[in-house]
């Protein structure tokens, strides 16, 4: 009897606890993912960044459209004739360079620029680069409605780099008012040879640091004013005794001298993130002993400018109509060598037939594998990225 009594007491003591357990809320489900629950597992990679407008456009372009971007073409006349329009349309040309004969006055410049940009939008689905050499001094393509500044040398003599900034900014805004959106300036050469037939007062100074500082300020003014700047003539045209329009100049200095003088401003330009660099038709045995001019040299354009200096913008060549090129290379060979070496855009000869030959040669080089698809995409990618930066892709 006593044992039964104790069992009943024990059951009564346990009853409240059993009831409490019955009303406890169930634990929430475990939502920990298998990867995060594993000790030491790496976090999931972040999603890729959204593609830029340039990347999206590049992925949709045909090879023919891409090759059309590689040529910056001059043409004759003050308007786009039906023949010129057909030529541009068939070749997908979207980048032009104008000279004084194309734009004798502001009204003509505005009308012609409008025509070019509308045709580019219609044919290529993007705005055109319309370039000029508007350095100031003796290198000026249009004066009407423009503030024309004195030569770079005269600006350099003021001792105040802000004057170079003002020149770059005012020139950019003046050009944009005429519909011109790319100034192939300033000169980054160092004026060390009084007998130089082509540079001289186009350079800001005979001192590398001064030349670099004034040129960089002009470039900054240009970019702040709305047009890309272009450092020329890589690797340095200041200490040559030959004009590349007439023959191939040769820089004979050793590497120590080149790094201290000629190359110094271009290294500064690359470090500053300048938009574009124009490669000159200049041989330099200390940089490439093959005899190739910089405009066709992979050692100089890719090895030095891209890889060593870290330049990420657009590399242009000087005009392929200069004797420094035409005396030794056909238009076809010059085009393929330049792009293969690392140039992104070639200033073509004014002859439409030679422009066609260049385009066809690039297409054939791509087909044969002499020009890789990666190099083509890289070149066009640089061009489109600069167009996107300045609002030319819509």
């Amino acid at each position: 009897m006593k044992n039964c009594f104790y069992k009943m007491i024990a059951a009564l003591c346990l009853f409240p606890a059993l009831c409490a357990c019955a009303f406890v809320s169930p634990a929430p489900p475990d939502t920990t993912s298998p990867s995060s629950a594993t000790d030491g597992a790496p976090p999931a990679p972040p999603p890729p960044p959204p593609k830029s407008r340039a990347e999206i456009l590049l992925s949709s372009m045909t090879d023919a459209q891409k090759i059309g971007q590689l040529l910056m073409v001059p043409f004759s006349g003050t308007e786009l004739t039906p023949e010129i329009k057909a030529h541009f349309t068939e070749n997908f040309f979207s980048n032009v360079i104008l000279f004084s004969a194309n734009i004798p006055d502001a009204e003509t410049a505005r009308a012609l620029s409008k025509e070019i940009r509308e045709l580019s939008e219609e044919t290529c689905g993007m705005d055109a680069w319309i370039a000029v050499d508007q350095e100031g001094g003796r290198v000026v393509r249009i004066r009407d409605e423009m503030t024309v500044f004195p030569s770079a040398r005269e600006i350099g003599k003021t001792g105040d780099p802000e004057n170079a900034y003002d020149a770059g900014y005012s020139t950019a805004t003046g050009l944009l008012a005429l519909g011109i959106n790319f100034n192939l300036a300033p000169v980054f050469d160092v004026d060390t040879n009084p007998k130089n037939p082509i540079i001289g007062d186009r350079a800001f100074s005979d001192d590398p640091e001064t030349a670099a500082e004034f040129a960089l300020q002009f470039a900054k003014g240009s970019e702040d004013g709305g047009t890309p700047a272009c450092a020329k003539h890589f690797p340095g045209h200041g200490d040559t005794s030959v004009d590349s329009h007439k023959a191939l100049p040769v820089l004979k200095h050793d590497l120590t001298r080149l790094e201290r003088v000629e190359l110094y401003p271009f290294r500064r330009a690359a470090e500053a993130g300048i938009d574009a660099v124009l490669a000159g038709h200049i041989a330099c045995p200390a940089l490439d002993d093959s005899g190739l001019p910089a405009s066709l040299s992979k050692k100089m354009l890719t090895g030095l400018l891209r890889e060593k200096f870290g330049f990420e913008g657009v590399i242009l060549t000087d005009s392929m109509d200069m004797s420094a090129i035409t005396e030794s290379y056909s238009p076809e060979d010059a085009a393929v060598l330049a792009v293969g070496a690392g140039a992104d855009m070639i200033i073509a000869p004014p002859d439409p037939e030679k422009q066609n030959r260049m385009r066809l040669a690039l297409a054939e080089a791509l087909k044969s594998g002499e020009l890789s698809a990666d190099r083509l995409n890289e070149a066009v990618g640089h061009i489109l990225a600069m167009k996107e930066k300045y609002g030319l892709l819509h």
Side-chain angles (χ1 to χ4, degrees):
M1 176 65 110
K2 188 182 289 186
N3 288 339
C4 292
F5 176 79
Y6 287 136
K7 288 179 181 178
M8 183 173 68
I9 295 298
L12 290 171
C13 291
L14 288 171
F15 181 75
L18 291 171
C19 291
C21 290
F23 291 97
V24 171
S25 300
D30 184 5
T31 57
T32 307
S33 66
S35 60
S36 62
T38 306
D39 290 340
K51 286 189 174 183
S52 67
R53 178 73 182 113
E55 290 171 324
I56 294 169
L57 184 57
L58 179 63
S59 68
S60 70
M61 294 171 71
T62 66
D63 289 341
Q65 290 170 330
K66 292 174 186 177
I67 290 169
Q69 288 293 312
L70 301 182
L71 298 179
M72 177 174 275
V73 294
F75 60 92
S76 300
T78 58
E79 61 182 1
L80 296 184
T81 63
E83 292 77 16
I84 294 173
K85 286 183 178 180
H87 178 60
F88 279 25
T89 300
E90 290 165 7
N91 292 293
F92 298 102
F93 290 153
S94 180
N95 307 302
V96 304
I97 180 170
L98 302 179
F99 294 89
S100 297
N102 298 115
I103 45 175
D105 54 60
E107 183 180 354
T108 302
R110 272 190 285 269
L112 181 57
S113 297
K114 184 173 183 290
E115 266 195 298
I116 293 167
R117 297 172 80 167
E118 287 177 349
L119 181 63
S120 178
E121 290 280 7
E122 179 183 331
T123 301
C124 303
M126 68 183 82
D127 206 341
W129 283 126
I130 303 175
V132 293
D133 297 281
Q134 191 82 0
E135 298 172 14
R138 59 191 165 101
V139 180
V140 172
R141 301 303 183 222
I142 184 164
R143 295 179 179 274
D144 189 25
E145 294 189 17
M146 290 291 299
T147 300
V148 178
F149 288 85
S151 69
R153 178 188 288 166
E154 291 303 312
I155 294 174
K157 283 181 178 179
T158 68
D160 186 356
E162 190 171 334
N163 291 327
Y165 177 92
D166 292 342
Y169 185 88
S170 178
T171 301
T173 56
L175 290 174
L176 282 176
L178 302 177
I180 298 166
N181 55 16
F182 193 177
N183 189 13
L184 301 180
V187 165
F188 270 69
D189 302 317
V190 184
D191 181 27
T192 55
N193 185 347
K195 296 182 180 179
N196 188 309
I198 188 63
I199 301 301
D201 65 354
R202 295 169 66 191
F204 285 99
S205 178
D206 58 3
D207 173 70
E209 292 189 12
T210 303
E213 185 59 33
F214 275 77
L216 284 169
Q217 286 302 309
F218 185 104
K220 187 176 188 306
S222 180
E223 292 169 3
D224 288 352
T227 66
C230 182
K232 61 187 187 184
H233 309 78
F234 178 81
H237 208 330
D239 194 14
T240 59
S241 56
V242 174
D243 179 355
S244 52
H245 291 83
K246 299 177 181 179
L248 179 65
V250 180
L251 268 177
K252 298 180 180 180
H253 299 301
D254 62 24
L255 186 58
T256 301
R257 149 69 191 235
L258 290 169
E259 289 181 339
R260 181 173 57 86
V261 180
E262 280 77 15
L263 293 174
Y264 177 79
F266 293 99
R267 181 191 289 272
R268 291 279 308 275
E271 291 170 350
I274 197 167
D275 288 312
V277 171
L278 184 142
H281 306 313
I282 306 159
C284 189
L287 301 176
D288 185 345
D289 60 7
S290 69
L292 286 168
S295 54
L296 308 182
S297 167
K298 189 170 185 176
K299 288 183 179 179
M300 286 192 256
L301 297 188
T302 299
L304 180 59
L305 185 56
R306 286 277 185 221
E307 296 175 358
K308 186 174 181 179
F309 288 1
F311 177 63
E312 297 180 346
V314 173
I315 298 177
L316 297 92
T317 71
D318 215 338
S319 172
M320 290 298 186
D321 201 38
M322 294 182 180
S323 294
I325 293 296
T326 59
E327 286 183 353
S328 301
Y329 305 95
S330 67
E332 294 92 335
D333 289 344
V336 173
L337 283 170
V339 178
D344 302 316
M345 196 183 303
I346 300 162
I347 300 181
D351 182 354
E353 190 263 341
K354 290 180 179 178
Q355 295 168 9
N356 274 330
R357 287 164 58 188
M358 283 183 157
R359 179 189 61 79
L360 291 171
L362 288 165
E364 183 56 38
L366 183 66
K367 183 179 178 181
S368 70
E370 184 179 1
L371 176 64
S372 71
D374 285 347
R375 173 78 270 270
L376 176 62
N377 288 334
E378 179 186 54
V380 179
H382 290 145
I383 296 166
L384 297 184
M386 192 167 79
K387 285 193 172 187
E388 183 173 17
K389 177 180 176 181
Y390 286 92
L392 274 64
L393 303 183
H394 310 299

